Amino acid sequence: SSEVLEAIENVIQGVLQSLAQRKAPVLTVAKRTDWRNIEFKDSVGLQMIPQCTTKQIRSDCPQSAKKFALMLKILSMIYKMVQSNTYATKRDIYYSDTLLFGSQRIVDQIIDDISCMLKIPRRSLHVLSTTQGFVAGNLSYSEEDGTKVNCTCSATAVTVPSNVQGIKNLTSHAKFILIVEKDATFQRLLDDDFFSKVSPCIMITGRGIPDLNTRLLVRKLWDSFQIPIFTLMDADPHGVEIMCVYKYGSASMSFEAHHLTVPSIKWLGLLPSDLKRLNICKDALIPFTKQDENKLASIQKRPYIACQPLWKKELEIMAASKLKAEIQVLTSLSSDYLSRVYLPNKLQFGGWL
């Protein structure tokens, strides 16, 4: 915490020095979402290059003066929280003054900019994300306050903890981890008792694009157990994008890649090639939108696809057919096809990429 306080004090000292010299204070932040500032490294995923381009948040420029003020406001809130050892969610910060901040998105962006500027992970700034992910299966652990959590005996899923760094005493006999894109599929597998039928496993869902805590938990489970991690996504560009976030990270959070990515993650399904192999009826598939085409084209250009020839092939199948499918399409074969046939066969015969 002293490191965080010192980092914030240095920023404020810079502002005061500028004022003393009758200069307009400026905050310098990295251009986090610029792909030119990001390199791909096999063992880490997407990471920010050391000498990345920056932008200035000026206090004397009408376009950025408000952002400058909001950054100082949030820095002061973080400083107080670290000093008093209290925590707040990004949502709490926004609701402390909704008129001032204007939107939750602005608060989220500023917090990530501050984290990147100070080179300090968001958790150390005492800012928690609101968790939306769930975990179930063969796993138990203790939370920071000593509460014991057992995901095995629960018929319903457990919410991913809001302070993943604080959990300890993780124990599991799981043979693999299954990341499921959607909540509906996750709940279906839970109802079918999937995690104990095939072989003991841990199931996680970020319910769409994963929040920071869900990604941190996947990474923590990988560090703790070193067991295979598979993804079960829709066969569409959005599903592929989500899988890439777990595996390689995102451009906007590349400055924290070392804590968040798991490059060993495998693509289990739903593969575009599965649709033909399983004779899925064309009527059950959904035609691409223009947005889908653009998203897929942008994914195909990304640096990590070049080193994944099998993924590349699947994306080419998807691009050629211009059709997408949700995991639920398997129910057209039988209501429990996913848990009874599809996943057991894939896991037994190595049907992943």
Side-chain angles (χ1 to χ4, degrees):
S1 61
S2 59
E3 192 188 319
V4 181
L5 296 176
E6 193 182 333
I8 296 173
E9 284 160 11
N10 289 339
V11 171
I12 302 306
Q13 208 169 356
V15 169
L16 293 174
Q17 273 168 353
S18 296
L19 290 170
Q21 293 161 6
R22 296 186 180 280
K23 289 180 187 164
V26 167
L27 296 173
T28 305
V29 297
K31 290 185 177 173
R32 290 183 293 114
T33 52
D34 190 333
W35 279 88
R36 289 168 298 185
N37 284 336
I38 294 157
E39 62 181 357
F40 170 63
K41 202 172 169 199
D42 234 351
S43 57
V44 181
L46 300 175
Q47 60 176 14
M48 193 171 267
I49 58 173
Q51 265 66 52
C52 66
T53 55
T54 56
K55 60 182 175 186
Q56 291 193 326
I57 313 295
R58 301 189 61 85
S59 58
D60 61 347
C61 167
Q63 284 83 14
S64 61
K66 184 174 182 186
K67 184 169 182 182
F68 179 90
L70 292 180
M71 283 185 81
L72 290 191
K73 166 75 175 166
I74 291 177
L75 276 167
S76 78
M77 293 172 87
I78 291 168
Y79 193 85
K80 280 179 194 155
M81 288 192 296
V82 174
Q83 251 186 342
S84 59
N85 197 24
T86 54
Y87 288 81
T89 64
K90 293 185 297 182
R91 210 167 164 69
D92 295 333
I93 291 174
Y94 168 59
Y95 278 107
S96 70
D97 199 333
T98 54
L99 275 177
L100 177 71
F101 292 120
S103 79
Q104 181 71 60
R105 195 172 57 84
I106 289 170
V107 171
D108 296 354
Q109 281 176 348
I110 288 175
I111 288 165
D112 287 342
D113 278 338
I114 287 172
S115 174
C116 186
M117 177 177 76
L118 302 179
K119 294 184 172 53
I120 289 170
R122 195 160 75 197
R123 307 166 291 295
S124 305
L125 301 177
H126 286 227
V127 178
L128 304 171
S129 317
T130 313
T131 295
Q132 60 182 38
F134 288 131
V135 59
N138 196 295
L139 174 70
S140 58
Y141 56 85
S142 306
E143 291 200 328
E144 200 175 22
D145 62 1
T147 309
K148 287 186 169 51
V149 179
N150 188 350
C151 306
T152 316
C153 61
S154 162
T156 55
V158 172
T159 307
V160 167
S162 57
N163 185 1
V164 174
Q165 299 307 97
I167 67 173
K168 47 193 181 291
N169 307 327
L170 285 89
T171 53
S172 176
H173 303 294
K175 297 284 181 271
F176 63 91
I177 295 162
L178 182 66
I179 299 171
V180 182
E181 178 188 348
K182 282 185 178 154
D183 192 25
T185 309
F186 180 85
Q187 297 297 341
R188 180 67 212 243
L189 291 172
L190 206 58
D191 293 344
D192 290 350
D193 202 18
F194 173 77
F195 63 78
S196 56
K197 269 184 189 161
V198 180
S199 68
C201 73
I202 300 166
M203 295 197 314
I204 292 182
T205 180
R207 299 162 77 194
I209 296 169
D211 59 78
L212 198 66
N213 294 326
T214 306
R215 290 173 63 189
L216 282 167
L217 182 62
V218 170
R219 176 60 194 247
K220 187 158 189 126
L221 293 173
W222 163 247
D223 288 338
S224 303
F225 305 123
Q226 301 277 311
I227 52 177
I229 304 182
F230 302 111
T231 58
L232 180 63
M233 306 279 149
D234 287 341
D236 66 11
H238 191 63
V240 175
E241 172 87 283
I242 290 170
M243 173 171 57
C244 292
V245 168
Y246 283 109
K247 186 175 170 79
Y248 295 123
S250 59
S252 62
M253 292 298 287
S254 59
F255 65 95
E256 268 211 64
H258 290 269
H259 311 287
L260 293 171
T261 59
V262 185
S264 61
I265 282 173
K266 302 281 184 253
W267 186 3
L268 187 70
L270 188 61
L271 302 177
S273 59
D274 288 340
L275 303 175
K276 194 175 177 187
R277 186 175 59 81
L278 297 171
N279 286 323
I280 301 286
C281 169
K282 270 258 171 85
D283 297 343
L285 305 179
I286 308 158
F288 261 25
T289 62
K290 190 75 192 128
Q291 203 180 358
D292 291 326
E293 285 181 44
N294 295 341
K295 167 78 78 186
L296 184 55
S298 101
I299 293 170
Q300 286 175 303
K301 288 192 196 105
R302 292 198 192 152
Y304 44 70
I305 297 299
C307 67
Q308 289 279 5
L310 296 174
W311 280 34
K312 202 174 168 197
K313 218 170 172 176
E314 293 293 332
L315 298 184
E316 282 163 7
I317 292 171
M318 200 190 287
S321 73
K322 291 194 177 177
L323 292 168
K324 56 184 182 178
E326 297 186 328
I327 298 160
Q328 286 88 328
V329 80
L330 297 175
T331 55
S332 66
L333 301 171
S334 78
S335 62
D336 59 352
Y337 191 85
L338 176 68
S339 58
R340 187 176 52 83
V341 183
Y342 183 81
L343 288 173
N345 282 351
K346 282 253 174 181
L347 292 160
Q348 191 178 342
F349 301 114
W352 56 81
L353 307 177

